[in-house]
Amino acid sequence: MPQRRGGGLTKTHPWPARLGGAAAGLANGLFGGGGGMVLLPILARWGGLTQRQLYATCVGVIFPVCLVSAAVYLLRGQLDLGAALPYLLGGLIGGWIGGRLYGKVPTAVLKWLFAAFLFYGGVRYLL
């Protein structure tokens, strides 16, 4: 892992990154998602990233992790591609819109939105 300007992880400290990635992948594989929620605080602590870089890096890491989880589900016969396609189309459109809006939304608003989604998801899961 190359050294970055402004701090962050270096070649001499790869274990927080590896453990964080493993935790994100494990959560994603077990729950079908949520690896980004695990990775976000880990990157915030050890990543040395700005707030905007933090969110973008989570998406960049989670994308291939999701692909691996989906491939395993597909190989095990647990993924119904027909049922997933309508969500995929909406997700692609939403991802494009979110990516376009990303640089225009203040980071304080992003933090509150993220917290609200976590809270809503947690309450819905418990009820």
Side-chain angles (χ1 to χ4, degrees), residues 33-77:
M37 288 183 241
V38 171
L39 192 60
L40 190 70
I42 294 168
L43 275 173
R45 169 95 170 136
W46 288 293
L49 303 170
T50 68
Q51 199 68 36
R52 292 207 182 274
Q53 290 172 325
L54 179 64
Y55 291 115
T57 302
C58 274
V59 170
V61 170
I62 292 305
F63 176 67
V65 170
C66 287
L67 287 177
V68 169
S69 295
V72 171
Y73 297 156
L74 184 64
L75 291 173
R76 295 184 73 187

